[in-house]
Amino acid sequence: MSPSITINPEHVEAIKALVAQAPFPAHMAMRLTAMDLDTCVVELAADQRHLQPYGILHGGVLATLLDTATFWSAYMRIPESAGLVNVDLKLNYLASVSGGLLTCEGRCVRPGRTISYAEAWVRDADGQLLAHGTSSLLAMPGKGLSLGVPKFLHPETP
């Protein structure tokens, strides 16, 4: 990335608000807490609604966190006029948990014009690694978000 490119913090805040208001993230009680070029952080306060019958966190909750974090870690690299979709998700469950604050960090490993590749990790409040995942993401021209706030403070794009 060129040193003259600066991410617009207003755009990041608009994305966080968009995610917070979307039905599925609200249903899951997850939130996008940080976002930068090639990285993001998603948090979820796991409670009773997230548990499976054995009293541990449902694997789908971890998969959702990994899917979300890989997506938003790749988002800044696509043109504003494009959308993005995960086309695969591969993950490993590494430990169980029954509640508490979960933090998922996403990192775009290889940004691309059409296909990007990202990974993410979910950790519990003590820092124990619960799951790791990777995802390929497809840029979709013409499907961009209309936020009214540009991604960058300068006209150049990555």
Side-chain angles (χ1 to χ4, degrees):
M1 182 173 108
S2 165
S4 64
I5 297 172
T6 305
I7 292 172
N8 184 352
E10 289 181 32
H11 187 84
V12 171
E13 291 306 311
I15 290 293
K16 287 178 175 180
L18 180 73
V19 172
Q21 295 168 9
F24 187 70
H27 169 74
M28 293 295 292
M30 90 181 148
R31 58 195 185 107
L32 179 63
T33 59
M35 192 171 164
D36 206 340
L37 189 68
D38 299 331
T39 63
C40 75
V41 177
V42 179
E43 292 180 344
L44 181 142
D47 60 28
Q48 192 69 27
R49 75 183 123 178
H50 300 112
L51 303 182
Q52 45 95 309
Y54 288 101
I56 60 174
L57 192 80
H58 191 285
V61 175
L62 293 171
T64 295
L65 287 168
L66 294 166
D67 180 80
T68 303
T70 56
F71 178 93
W72 289 113
S73 71
Y75 168 79
M76 282 294 180
R77 293 286 187 159
I78 63 170
E80 287 188 53
S81 62
L84 191 64
V85 65
N86 291 63
V87 295
D88 72 2
L89 180 65
K90 298 171 187 152
L91 60 112
N92 292 97
Y93 300 109
L94 304 171
S96 63
V97 67
S98 295
L101 182 65
L102 306 181
T103 302
C104 187
E105 296 180 41
R107 180 175 70 97
C108 187
V109 175
R110 196 246 178 230
R113 292 182 186 188
T114 304
I115 299 286
S116 296
Y117 183 73
E119 66 180 333
W121 305 262
V122 181
R123 296 184 186 276
D124 67 11
D126 295 326
Q128 180 183 11
L129 184 61
L130 304 175
H132 174 263
T134 61
S135 181
S136 299
L137 302 106
L138 176 67
M140 301 183 321
K143 300 288 185 181
L145 298 172
S146 297
L147 298 175
V149 182
K151 280 187 183 181
F152 304 100
L153 296 177
H154 303 285
E156 302 94 327
T157 58

